[in-house]
Structure formats: structure tokens, C-alpha cells
Amino acid sequence: MKTTRRQFIKIAGASTAGMAIAGSVLGSVQKVSEAVHVKKDMLDSELTRTPTYCEVCFWKCAAWVYKDKEGNIKKLIGNDEDQHARGKLCPRGTGGLGMYEDEDRLKKPLIRRTDANGKQYYEEAEWDVALDYIANKMNGIKKDYGKENMALFVHGAPAKHFEYLFKAFGNENHAEPAYAQCAGPREAGFFATFGSGVGSPEPADMQNSKCIVFIGNHIGENMHNSFVQEVSTAIDNEAKIIVVDPRLSTVASKATHWLAIKPGTDMALLLAWMHVLIYDNIYDKEYIDKYAYGFEELKAHVANYTPEWAAGITTINPELIRKSAHTMAAASPASVIHPGRHTTWYGDDTQRERAMAMINALLGAYGRRGGMYMGVKQKLPKYPVPAFPHPHWSWQDITKPKFKNAAVGLTNVLIEASLPEFDKKHQIKGWFIAGTSVINTIPDRIKMFKAIENQELIVVVDTMPMEMTGYADVVLPESTYLERHDYSRAGKNRVAQVAFRMPAVEAKYDSKPAWWMAKELGHRLGLEKYYPWKNLEEVLDWQFKQVGSSLEEMKKIGVKTFPSTEPIYLLPGEDYEFNTNTGKIELYSTDFAEKGYDAMPKFTRHDSPDPGFYHLVYGRAPMHTFGRTQNNPYLYDLYETNSIWINPRTAKLWGIENNSDIWLKNQDGVISEFSTKARLTERIRPDSIYMVHGFGHTNKKLSRARGRGINDIPLITKIKVDPIMGGTGMRNNFVTFVLEEPSREEIIAAADWKANAAKKKEASENKKKETEKKSEAKKEHTKETHTKEEAKS
Amino acid sequence: MRYAMAMDTRKCVGCSDCVVACQTENNVPLGFCRDWIVEAVKGTYPDTVQMHFKSERCMHCENTPCVRTCPTGASHVIEGGIVKVTHDECIGCGACIESCPYDARYVHPDGYVDKCTFCDHRLEQGLNTACVDVCPTSCLIFGDLDDPKSDVSIILKEKDWYVLAPEAGTNPQLYFLK
């Protein structure tokens, strides 16, 4: 009895004063008997350690992997020298061991086969067989269509190895959801303003700030390690925190001002803030005079964007708008609007990010202590190999005419190009995917499945049987970061540092590191000249030696700091030339004007939900990364499923009680695959619901995560594409509650919402003859897709 | 010596890193924990709603009902006021669990009662507790209250704090900073 209650406490909290978020877990109770526990606590002095940097998320904190005498990993601890970790890992990094231990991992290469009855199945294969298969198919696509007619979708450390392989193959069609589904708009918006993108970690100098502004950025729930540490320092420093969020997020609960904005109206607030800064004459005049271009244009532009105007749109009290602007200005220049990270929201996202960048300019924040620093890095030279062949065409040719400021390949454009109706020359016929489960990352599943059907080869590299593996022709099991070498982390930061990753343990099962797979494929594709080295260790050693270190040294220290003479702040009165057309911070973007985009951000009204529908707001929990950690035994133990946050007033209208099971249905009729618990809380607006992204896994091979929670991605069917950089705005969707369990058939039928919508339209237009034909054809197609999907999952 | 912990609710983000770090440091089986996070919400949307997190664990009380009720003497207090359970002497009767106002103990699958030890094995080595060391927000402050220069003594002097269930008269040694 007591045991159960103890576990319940972890979910529901010990006191009646509150509800706990750290969930435990009825699901893992059965597993307890299998859990390994050593009675005697292990002392640090009895352990040995090897360096790595974490791969549970993109923050890449450097860490030490501690092992006992038998060579078993005991724990992971942050590296003290590292700027990302500062001696600490977040719960995901601390629980990173679960990625290695997870018994559901991919274990052998798999090849899709079809039996005599036409049923498809996966056959376990030796590496030679699997790699030969892929190389043959790639050569086939090269011969039949062109080496350019493949796409590479990547995320994380494996990316570099396969990008290298594809470049050597003569293909540059590479894309990451990290851009077009995530950080792309802020890169484009900040670049247009300062002539420099944001990068990771974002150079917001929060530990020195006197005022920090977060626009929907729920730091602490997005557990970006050093940033959480910096915000904590800022709290110690009694810095002001301003949070704009429809939800009392964790950081909003710590804020001086919480602006509980109506979703989709951020631009109105930002314009009003600019209005107050300029017309109350509290902007950094000296800084603007010296560094900015287009101030007078901006002043005229925001003349009518008063707080009173914005109040009607945002539902925020005009006095609070004014007051918060004054709070920012009082702290200037140690005052910063954090650029955010997942910024593909409403389709005008580049412009929203630009407005944020412009406010940072008005505050005199860029290049200033407590504002935004200008990061430095230690470049690691590339191992010398012959020049890569030039492809006949690349992502740029099919992207730039439409999205002029796309800086890298766009997943959504490459998926568009993968459809059978796309022009033959540029049609993609093969996908290579590593480290990202694209069907749960990129919205518009109907298009996704159509594109999948049109591929002659799909390769998926992953450590776990994520949903995308079910659609692959070949699945390659990658070793986890604790078992492999990778290229070093050497991004920009306050100080130039290089972080090193090496295997702490031998690779489990028949898994292999990505560099090995790429090299082996390279040999099979006749690209030996690009792989003159034996293993990645050799490359790393060569790189380290070019900068005065060595593999031997890096094994001992894990992180090396390099002296830098570049200042990270502007010097007083410095004549600094920004990398824009005018050499100035562009409040008026000459680049946008030239290209036919708005030179200054304008307010666009976004859709509001119909009665009975609510804004679908999604975000993160600190214990999980995207959809990739839900099966990790440690992290599952902390937070096994998401819940739907509903304001009690809204819940009352529906008769929904706390913890009742609910399904969600979106504006296009799509119903969530699973149910989850309602979580009644005053921490959210009555017109919105909130859920943590990454749950609702469908693959039965994810034994813990499968069926837990609701997946937001299938519910995101209305996508507004950013005209400037091509990101997919995903916050335009609304949901309603389904209280009775829907049938399986109902869920499947609802998923085909485009066909359903078309049918509805046709019926109402009453164009009988012509429409009946189309409808039949669509029905046939739908049936076919679903049969195939079923077979694959 | 009097070990105590202060927990800064202004800084905690409820990430549960303390929970995982404790599990891995102390081989706490999955599904169980020695420390946990509580989210406390009060007020209504939008004007009065407030929220804070607490990282809770055994309070290592000065007045220990758990030790008093233990029939075998397995529950005991060691130097510095740390409350411990000798696993071999514990019969798993659960009397201590009933008597604890903080619900800080659980029955380990091996049959004994388990709880936070303030990582005394680490303290012996001059290290901090695992939860203190891992916390990204540095919201946990640990030390000796008998030493006026310790971090915990200083912060408790400087800041306002409260303890849980003061009416129980246990004099708990986990202090929550407001």
C-alpha cells in the first residue's frame, strides 16, 4: 500500500498545496525487480572517467562518463571547464545513460523485404549486406535520375558525417528540421537587422543582464543548461524578468511582469513596445545615432502602434505594455529580448523575430554587456581531401526563387520536391535520414506519406525504433553517443572552446557509429579518395594537432579553452561595421525592401478559434527532448506522459474534471490517436490549451513510450509558410475536446482530412458528375495509403 | 555539527535533475525516489495566479518520530543530525513511514525502508550531496548550521524562509527560501 502511495507522491505531490510535475510511473513498477541496484554506494574515487559531450539535446554539454572497475557506466557528470555545462548536466544529460541502456534500441541492420504473399517485413541483415543494398540503390538513383535527386534529412552529431558523404557523392540537398521547423525565422530576422544570425547557444548575455525578456520562450521548461544557470544567476542579481506567454510558464512564475498574451498577437505588442521606446524617448539614442540605419522611417512606421491599439489585440493592459517597456529601457543596455529557439509559429515569424531584434537595437543591447555578446570560436581545420564535385543543381535552385532568405535547405521544400507531381528534373527519389524522425517533426502528414510513397529508397539511421524507421527500406542502428566518436563541438561562445567525444564503452548490440557507416558507404560508392583515413580518431587527432592539442590531451581534459583576442562586446565609441548592405544595424531593411518584403514589420491579424475550439499551444518539459527521449527509462520515470492543460473555467463548460481522459480534435477534424489526462490549472488562458510536444508514440517497439499521451504533430494541419525563409508556422491550429472514446475507424478516417474536406466542399457545391469521379479516385488513394501504412507500422 | 539544506523556490525550475542524480548516485531503483518535486499553485488566472516549485526529501528533523517508532533501531541519527536506516536491521514494518509527516520514506523492493541520506558517503569525501552538485539553478544550498560561515547559515540569515508542517514539532532541517 505504502509503496504505491510513495509512487503516487512523485506524481501528485506530498502536500495538498500543489500538484507535482515529476511524474512517476505506474508503468515502470513492474520493471523494478529487474532494476540493477548495488547495495554499497559507489565512491567517486573508485571510478574512472572518459570525456564526452551530451547528445540528448542540441546544447551539447561536455561531461564525464564515470565507470566502475568492471567497466559499467555509473553516472554522467558535467565538465567544470565547459561553458555549456559549467559542471552540471540537466535531467536529460544526467539520465543520458538511459539512451545506452534502453533495451528497445535498434540492434541490427534491417532491410525491408516482401514475402510470397506480398506482405512486407523487415529482415535482419549483416552490415555488408545492408550497406551494399544502399550503395546499389543510390547508384541506381544516380543513373536513372541523377545524384542530385536524393535528399538528406539530419539532426545532431550524425549530420556532419552524412553531409560529408553526400557532398562527396555530389549532392547538396540537405535539410534539418532544426531550421525550417524551428530556429530559422530568428536567424533570418536577426541577420536582416544585425548582419549576423543568432546561432547556438544564443548570445544573450543573461548572466550580466539587468532585464531579460522572453517571448513565448519557456526557459526552464526548455532545459538549455547554461541558460537556465544564467537565468538563475540573473535572479540572484535581482534582474527584472518580463515574460510574454499565454501560460504562466515556469519562467513566467518568476517574472516581474507576466504578459498573458492572446496567442498570435505578439507582433502588436512588439510594435507597441517600439512605439513606447521611441515616443517616450527612452531608447538608446547615442547607440542608434551611431550604429543604426532607418530610425526616422521606423519612428514614422510605429507612430500609430500605441499601447492602447495593441491592448485591443493582445488583451494586455496598455499600462502594463508601457510599464514593461520602461522596465526594459531602465536596464538598457544590459537589457535583452532573448531571440527564442522554436520560432516557426504563425508564418510571419521572420518579421516577428526582426521586431525583437529591432527592440534589442533600440535598447542598445547588441554587442553590449548584459545585452548580446559577439561570440568567438576556435576553428578546427578540415582534414585535407580533394574538392567535392559540383552538383548540377541543389536545394537553392528549388528554394531561393520562392524563399529568398532561406539560409540552408528546407525540409518542407525537399518534401514538396519528393512528390510525384514535382518537376521531373528536380524530383527527389531517395531519402537518407539520420537522427530525426521526420514524420513527427515536420507537419502535414498527408503530404509526407505521399512523398514517402514516391521514394525508391529510404534509409533511416537512429539509435531507437522511432516511427520513421517503420517507413524505411533500410534501418541502420547507430551507436549512442556514449559508444562513439564524433566531430568535436566548437561553436561560438563567450570563450573559444572545443569539446571532445569518445566512446566510454564498447558499442552494444550490432550498432555502429555514423562516421563508420558514412565511410563504408563512401567506399562502396567509389568515393575512397574522400576517406583517406582509417578512423575518425585519426581525423580528430590531426585536427587537434593543427590547433596545438592532441587526441591524447583531449582524452584527459575533454574540453580545451583557447585564448582569444577578439572582444565580445563593442568597445566604447568603437566604429563597428555591421554585415548589412548599409554597414549599420538596419531598422529599415534594405535587403528586404530590395527583395519585395516589408522593410519594417507590420501587424498581420492571425486566425482566432471558432467557438468551442482553443489555441493549440505546445512546448517542452525539462526532462524530455523533442520526441526522442520518451522511452528512456530514467526520463520516462520522471515524466511518462503529457497532459492537456485546461483553464478550470473552460473545463467547467465541458464538464471536464482534473485527470479525466480526453482526446483532441482539430479544426480540420483530425482526432488524436490516443487520449491523455486533462490537467486543470489556472496557469493558462481560458482560450488556449497547452501540451508538451513529443508524446503519443505509435511504434509498438517503443515499449514504454507507445500509447502514452497525445502527439501534437498530426493535429497541426494548418501551416502558414514564412514567405521570407520558408519556415512552417505551426501555431495556427485549434482544437476541441472529444470526451467519448472515438473508434479506431473514426480516427483513421479523420486523419485523411484533406479528402474529407474536399468531399464536404464538393457535396455542398453540388457538382455531381464531375465531383463523384474525383471523390472515388481520392477514396481509392486513401485506402491504398492506409493499407501501406498499416503494413509498415 | 548540524547539517541542513536550504531550497530556493525563486530559482527552482522543477526540472527534476535532483531526482535523477539521486537515483543514479544512490542506485535508487526506477519507479522510486528519495527526493521529488512539488508544484504549488495558488490564485486564479490571470491576476493572482502564482506558482513555485519545491524540491523535497527527508527533512532530517531534529525531533525524529521515525527513529522513535522504529522497533529494531534500524532508523537512527548519525553525526551532523543525518537520519539513516541500517538496511540489514530494517524489517520493513513501515512504522517509520506512518510516523513521518513528510512522507519521505519508501519501501525498497528488497524489503527495507529507504530514504535520503544527505549523501553521507559523499560528505565523507568532502563532496556535496548529488542533488546539490547537479542542480542547474543552484537552488539547493547545503552545509553545517553550527558553522556561521557556511553557505547555508549565511543564506538563512539573509533570506526569509519557512519549513513544512511546523505544527508537527519535528524541527525539520530543510528550509524553503521565499
Side-chain angles (χ1 to χ4, degrees), chain A residues 86-227:
Chain A
R86 306 175 184 200
K88 292 161 180 211
L89 292 178
C90 82
R92 299 163 301 164
T94 306
L97 180 54
M99 220 163 141
Y100 163 76
E101 285 179 349
D102 198 323
E103 68 287 0
D104 292 337
R105 277 176 60 175
L106 294 168
K107 299 179 175 77
K108 286 273 297 180
L110 303 170
I111 301 178
R112 179 183 297 269
R113 303 281 190 204
T114 310
D115 70 13
N117 302 321
K119 192 175 160 21
Q120 299 185 351
Y121 65 99
Y122 279 132
E123 181 182 81
E124 286 195 351
E126 294 309 318
W127 277 96
D128 274 341
V129 178
L131 295 169
D132 285 347
Y133 182 100
I134 297 168
N136 280 337
K137 284 275 189 179
M138 282 176 74
N139 278 328
I141 292 170
K142 182 179 171 180
K143 191 167 140 270
D144 295 344
Y145 308 95
K147 59 190 187 310
E148 297 82 2
N149 296 57
M150 282 192 73
L152 174 68
F153 300 107
V154 281
H155 181 89
K160 278 189 186 166
H161 307 297
F162 295 114
E163 281 165 0
Y164 184 96
L165 173 72
F166 267 62
K167 279 186 198 158
F169 187 59
N171 178 306
E172 287 178 10
N173 289 325
H174 317 161
E176 300 200 19
Y179 186 79
Q181 280 69 46
C182 195
R186 70 164 203 206
E187 297 303 321
F190 274 69
F191 193 90
T193 313
F194 298 115
S196 161
V198 176
S200 177
E202 300 83 6
D205 197 15
M206 298 193 292
Q207 66 193 22
N208 297 312
S209 298
K210 291 181 189 144
C211 178
I212 311 168
V213 185
F214 296 108
I215 313 281
N217 180 350
H218 52 6
I219 206 143
E221 284 157 286
N222 53 2
M223 198 63 203
H224 305 162
N225 190 356
S226 48
F227 268 16

Side-chain angles (χ1 to χ4, degrees), chain B:
Chain B
M1 193 154 29
R2 174 68 250 188
Y3 286 124
M5 188 180 281
M7 195 264 131
D8 194 341
T9 60
R10 298 171 313 145
K11 294 183 1 179
C12 178
V13 296
C15 74
S16 306
D17 209 357
C18 46
V19 181
V20 202
C22 174
Q23 283 175 328
T24 52
E25 178 69 29
N26 296 304
N27 299 301
V28 177
L30 288 177
F32 299 88
C33 55
R34 291 179 176 185
D35 54 354
W36 61 94
I37 298 289
V38 172
E39 176 194 324
V41 183
K42 62 179 181 188
T44 53
Y45 174 88
D47 294 330
T48 61
V49 59
Q50 287 181 1
M51 187 273 291
H52 68 267
F53 290 111
K54 283 179 289 180
S55 168
E56 296 185 3
R57 58 191 53 57
C58 171
M59 312 271 164
H60 298 277
C61 305
E62 237 169 46
N63 179 8
T64 49
C66 51
V67 172
R68 267 201 314 282
T69 52
C70 178
T72 67
S75 276
H76 62 287
V77 180
I78 65 166
E79 206 203 339
I82 297 173
V83 180
K84 285 202 76 176
V85 181
T86 308
H87 296 161
D88 293 345
E89 289 172 18
C90 175
I91 54 170
C93 72
C96 56
I97 293 176
E98 291 294 342
S99 73
C100 174
Y102 307 105
D103 217 345
R105 297 170 164 237
Y106 71 95
V107 181
H108 192 282
D110 284 354
Y112 56 81
V113 168
D114 192 41
K115 62 177 281 298
C116 165
T117 60
F118 267 166
C119 283
D120 62 329
H121 66 289
R122 289 173 61 90
L123 302 182
E124 278 167 20
Q125 294 186 85
L127 299 168
N128 249 320
T129 70
C131 54
V132 167
D133 263 359
V134 82
C135 178
T137 68
S138 307
C139 75
L140 299 171
I141 303 111
F142 182 80
D144 179 7
L145 278 187
D146 288 345
D147 173 5
K149 285 185 191 135
S150 71
D151 291 345
V152 72
S153 297
I154 292 168
I155 206 147
L156 290 178
K157 237 174 267 160
E158 281 176 1
K159 308 263 186 207
D160 290 338
W161 49 263
Y162 62 97
V163 294
L164 296 183
E167 68 282 0
T170 52
N171 198 8
Q173 295 304 307
L174 178 53
Y175 299 85
F176 297 92
L177 305 182
K178 287 182 198 169

